[in-house]
Amino acid sequence: MPDTSLPPGDGRIHASAQLHPTAIVSAGATIGPDCRIGPFSMIGVHAVLEAGVTIGSNVAVEGHTWIGEGVQVSHGASIGLAPQDLKYKNEPTRTVVGARTIVREHATIHRGSVGGHGLTTVGADCLIMVNAHIGHDCTLDHHVILANNVMLGGHVQIADTVFVGGGAALHQFVRIGRQSVIGGMSGVEADVIPFGAVLGNRARLTGLNLIGLRRRGFSRAEIHQLRAVYRLLFRSHGVFQDRLAQAEADHGDHPAVAEILSFIRSDSKRGLCRARRVAPLEEDDAEAQA
């Protein structure tokens, strides 16, 4: 995660920065080396742009906003604007965008609120595609991809290497576990386990993110172990807490399994996204593909 205790900028524009003549950069903004700011963009007084940040045309950066090294922000995007919260009274809440993240056209990232933890954070090496919205107090870890028109309500937490498909909507306070995938046009109202795959309106677990697991080097044996845990937790009968205890007893020494179990046991405001019903043949086909 980006350092949320970063000091204020020095209020200077580095000599190597390139500012279009029509750009408006407020006195007090910090513009680092080799930054480029395009036509008709506006940079607020408390903004800090680290080295190599590229700001396209018609971009707005407001509030106490820190943009990390090498970030690219495309035409019409806005970062650090006030939260869509009627209780907000212009308190000095913050926005942080991590290094090398790409923010595409017309995406919006709102600053934190006093009703939350006062900070909206986007990690390093993320891709925020066209027209995506990140609401106040959201926390995105590293390598997160939001496809076009994704909508995140306030206080959403997304762990590393998550992919959210186009047009998906995530309810406020939802948690999305590491390396999971959210299908396009899904409406997600509850927490998604690490390595999970969800789809639908309202979204339900459809299995594990098998493609992501393979891409990140999980062995066939490890994937089968995770599938066994998934089937125990979400396909078996009986009391869920008993199945949770059984999964820990049988597989709790596996780090990925321990991560899933810890996620499930963590405090949640939205509950846990559960599996949809599938026909036995469909489940067998999924097992064969693993």
Side-chain angles (χ1 to χ4, degrees):
M1 298 290 298
D3 185 353
T4 59
S5 62
L6 292 169
D10 59 14
R12 300 177 182 177
I13 299 176
H14 195 275
S16 62
Q18 301 177 38
L19 280 60
H20 191 275
T22 62
I24 300 174
V25 178
S26 300
T30 300
I31 311 298
D34 301 314
C35 288
R36 292 184 295 169
I37 301 177
F40 304 104
S41 289
M42 298 183 296
I43 311 298
V45 61
H46 299 295
V48 177
L49 277 58
E50 294 197 73
V53 171
T54 299
I55 302 292
S57 60
N58 295 282
V59 171
V61 179
E62 296 185 4
H64 295 261
T65 295
W66 192 291
I67 299 182
E69 183 175 353
V71 168
Q72 301 175 43
V73 185
S74 295
H75 173 85
S78 62
I79 301 176
L81 274 66
Q84 297 176 133
D85 181 350
L86 294 176
K87 300 184 296 298
Y88 181 73
K89 304 301 179 187
N90 205 35
E91 295 89 353
T93 55
R94 302 188 60 201
T95 310
V96 175
V97 179
R100 299 172 302 281
T101 282
I102 297 172
V103 181
R104 292 300 302 264
E105 300 90 317
H106 303 288
T108 55
I109 304 172
H110 287 176
R111 72 184 80 144
S113 72
V114 292
H117 50 275
L119 174 67
T120 300
T121 305
V122 178
D125 299 296
C126 295
L127 173 57
I128 312 302
M129 294 191 195
V130 172
N131 218 45
H133 171 67
I134 299 174
H136 60 83
D137 302 288
C138 286
T139 301
L140 280 63
D141 287 353
H142 308 311
H143 301 282
V144 172
I145 298 176
L146 305 184
N148 296 346
N149 301 299
V150 165
M151 298 169 285
L152 305 185
H155 314 275
V156 169
Q157 300 176 41
I158 300 182
D160 289 341
T161 60
V162 168
F163 176 81
V164 184
L170 278 60
H171 195 286
Q172 61 181 355
F173 293 105
V174 159
R175 298 180 303 141
I176 308 298
R178 183 171 70 94
Q179 205 170 303
S180 55
V181 58
I182 311 299
M185 304 299 291
S186 293
V188 183
E189 296 181 312
D191 297 346
V192 177
I193 60 169
F195 318 108
V198 303
L199 181 66
N201 186 11
R202 296 305 194 240
R204 293 291 182 267
L205 279 168
T206 60
L208 296 176
N209 181 13
L210 299 177
I211 293 175
L213 289 169
R214 294 192 192 101
R215 284 177 176 171
R216 289 169 180 85
F218 280 70
S219 69
R220 187 178 181 87
E222 289 176 311
I223 292 173
H224 276 288
Q225 185 173 13
L226 286 171
R227 282 197 59 85
V229 171
Y230 177 86
R231 291 171 69 103
L232 173 60
L233 292 175
F234 299 105
R235 299 286 187 219
S236 301
H237 298 289
V239 177
F240 184 74
Q241 291 299 324
D242 292 343
R243 287 179 275 148
L244 196 63
Q246 187 64 51
E248 183 167 30
D250 293 347
H251 306 279
D253 56 344
H254 189 283
V257 174
E259 182 177 344
I260 293 172
L261 300 180
S262 176
F263 180 92
I264 292 172
R265 289 187 170 122
S266 297
D267 291 338
S268 171
K269 294 180 180 293
R270 297 297 306 168
L272 192 65
C273 188
R274 300 301 179 96
R276 66 179 177 89
R277 297 178 181 273
V278 297
L281 181 59
E282 182 181 350
E283 186 170 321
D284 290 344
D285 289 342
E287 179 74 34
Q289 293 172 12

